[in-house]
Amino acid sequence: MTEITENTKKILEVILNLKEGQVMSYRDVGALAGLPNGARQVSRILHSMSKKYELPWWRVVRSDRTIGLPEPAKSEQMELLKKEGISFTAQGKIIIEDESLNYEPINKELEILYEDQDIIAIDKDANLTVNSKGQESLANYISYYFLKNNIKSQVRFINRLDMNTSGIILIAKNPYAQAYYQKLIENNDFDKEYLALVEGNLEIDKTIFLKINYDENNKKMKIADEGDEIKTYFKNIKLYDKFSLIYCKIYTGKTHQIRISLSNLNHPIIGDKLYGSKYKLDRFLLHSYKASFIRFRDGEKITILSRPNFDKYLNSSLLRGDS
């Protein structure tokens, strides 16, 4: 019998773990298998394997490049695949191997906004790095939470926030979930919305397009014709005497894209000294307040909310100019 490659095994395991009636795109099958250019590999493998096994998914490979499992594989087909090292269950459960922690566990209370069997959403404080070598970080706190709750997984971040940005951050409990949600982000199917308190009165309701790249000399992003394009929508929510509360929605997920876009409008985020703010705070006032996505496994729409803590700064002498 011809040996099956590791990539073929990974793809077949994902397909055979589909629930009855569930349909998944070639792209997502490849993503869950952790393979680059997954859709192309899935297409090639389905074609090459069709002559080798009579598995039930062949009946529903469709022109829109999706695949489904209308009925469980027959026992003799399952046994043939098991002999070649492919593991799966007939109930549609993904096989997830136990892993060792990849960060030192440190006990620190977390504010959990949402949790299911595949992900956990945390309300991150400002002045906290996501993961830094030689520095206490959110990854250490997540490791302790995993250890305490017998979650035998490495810490895998789905999205990231700057150290001085607060709000929603998602962590995967297995590599399949991480691949799925990062693919959603890559395809703009994962909504990330922010609130920013900026200097001056900014009346805006528009989408901003810019091109940016990294300025090595100044250690920040800069506007550049040859840079990567960013797309961000801004709308003013409330105007104060000297400040504006701005709603921000990102579509491209590039480093510092909200910060540089608002700075380019001459309304930097309060406290963001790197991008021109005149206020010296212990953080800058940018908060990831809403995340919406289609949940892994069952396709349910999930929305997570987090309230920013800007009031203490608005009411402080640091912003009123009393000091």
Side-chain angles (χ1 to χ4, degrees):
M1 186 176 289
T2 305
E3 183 179 356
I4 294 180
T5 67
E6 285 303 312
N7 285 353
T8 299
K9 289 180 182 180
K10 291 176 183 178
I11 287 172
L12 289 176
E13 286 175 10
V14 172
I15 293 171
L16 287 166
N17 282 303
L18 293 174
K19 297 177 182 178
E20 290 185 49
Q22 183 181 2
V23 172
M24 184 177 291
S25 70
Y26 286 14
R27 180 197 65 201
D28 288 342
V29 170
L32 289 176
L35 302 175
N37 301 316
R40 191 172 299 174
Q41 291 195 54
V42 170
S43 179
R44 184 172 65 250
I45 286 169
L46 291 180
H47 178 74
S48 65
M49 294 292 288
S50 62
K51 298 178 181 179
K52 192 169 185 180
Y53 302 108
E54 291 185 6
L55 290 165
W57 68 70
W58 309 127
R59 303 175 192 171
V60 289
V61 175
R62 305 185 309 207
S63 59
D64 61 353
R65 295 175 66 79
T66 60
I67 191 166
L69 191 65
E71 59 186 68
K74 296 177 182 177
S75 59
E76 60 268 24
Q77 296 162 344
M78 293 168 64
E79 289 304 318
L80 279 174
L81 291 171
K82 283 181 180 179
K83 287 178 181 178
E84 300 203 51
I86 297 171
S87 58
F88 59 92
T89 70
Q91 291 73 38
K93 295 181 180 178
I94 293 173
I95 304 299
I96 299 171
E97 296 181 356
D98 291 347
E99 297 177 312
S100 299
L101 293 172
N102 51 342
Y103 293 93
E104 178 188 356
I106 297 177
N107 187 5
K108 184 72 176 286
E109 185 175 353
L110 297 170
E111 184 171 350
I112 298 173
L113 300 171
Y114 171 84
E115 184 172 12
D116 62 32
Q117 69 190 102
D118 295 303
I119 63 171
I120 181 171
I122 303 297
D123 201 356
K124 185 186 91 68
D125 290 334
N127 298 310
L128 177 65
T129 62
V130 172
N131 59 333
S132 299
K133 290 183 178 179
Q135 183 178 357
E136 191 170 309
S137 68
L138 180 61
N140 300 116
Y141 307 156
I142 297 294
S143 284
Y144 183 84
Y145 181 84
F146 280 6
L147 181 65
K148 184 178 69 172
N149 290 279
N150 199 33
I151 300 170
K152 297 179 180 180
S153 171
Q154 294 186 358
V155 176
R156 294 178 170 87
F157 289 98
I158 293 168
N159 67 313
R160 293 175 181 271
L161 298 175
D162 294 329
M163 182 178 77
N164 288 317
T165 299
S166 55
I168 300 168
I169 190 161
L170 273 68
I171 301 94
K173 297 179 180 178
N174 59 70
Y176 298 100
Q178 183 190 40
Y180 170 80
Y181 287 111
Q182 288 187 336
K183 182 60 69 172
L184 289 186
I185 292 172
E186 180 183 328
N187 294 326
N188 291 323
D189 293 326
F190 188 115
D191 290 336
K192 295 182 288 183
E193 300 166 66
Y194 295 73
L195 293 173
L197 201 61
V198 306
E199 297 181 15
N201 285 163
L202 174 59
E203 296 194 27
I204 190 171
D205 183 4
K206 66 185 294 188
T207 300
I208 303 292
F209 295 87
L210 294 172
K211 288 188 176 181
I212 63 171
N213 64 17
Y214 186 65
D215 182 348
E216 184 65 41
N217 293 329
N218 295 302
K219 308 300 180 185
K220 66 178 184 178
M221 306 305 289
K222 65 178 181 180
I223 308 297
D225 291 338
E226 69 279 11
D228 296 327
E229 184 172 81
I230 59 172
K231 177 184 177 182
T232 321
Y233 171 72
F234 297 103
K235 180 178 176 59
N236 62 286
I237 303 299
K238 185 175 182 179
L239 300 179
Y240 298 87
D241 183 26
K242 300 178 182 178
F243 318 116
S244 304
L245 181 63
I246 305 297
Y247 165 86
C248 322
K249 183 173 181 178
I250 62 174
Y251 293 94
T252 43
K254 300 297 182 182
T255 301
H256 296 182
Q257 80 171 66
I258 293 175
R259 298 167 64 186
I260 192 172
S261 296
L262 290 169
S263 177
N264 189 60
L265 293 170
N266 297 315
H267 293 274
I269 298 169
I270 292 173
D272 190 1
K273 297 186 288 293
L274 185 64
Y275 287 96
S277 175
K278 63 185 178 182
Y279 293 97
K280 296 180 180 180
L281 305 182
D282 60 353
R283 60 163 299 181
F284 43 80
L285 301 186
L286 177 64
H287 184 83
S288 171
Y289 90 99
K290 185 177 181 180
S292 303
F293 51 85
I294 300 300
R295 186 164 62 191
F296 182 47
R297 295 184 194 258
D298 64 3
E300 183 178 342
K301 178 69 176 289
I302 300 296
T303 297
I304 302 170
L305 296 172
S306 166
R307 179 181 174 83
N309 185 17
F310 293 165
D311 290 347
K312 73 173 186 177
Y313 295 96
L314 284 169
N315 297 327
S316 74
S317 60
L318 292 171
L319 295 189
R320 292 202 310 268
D322 297 341
S323 59

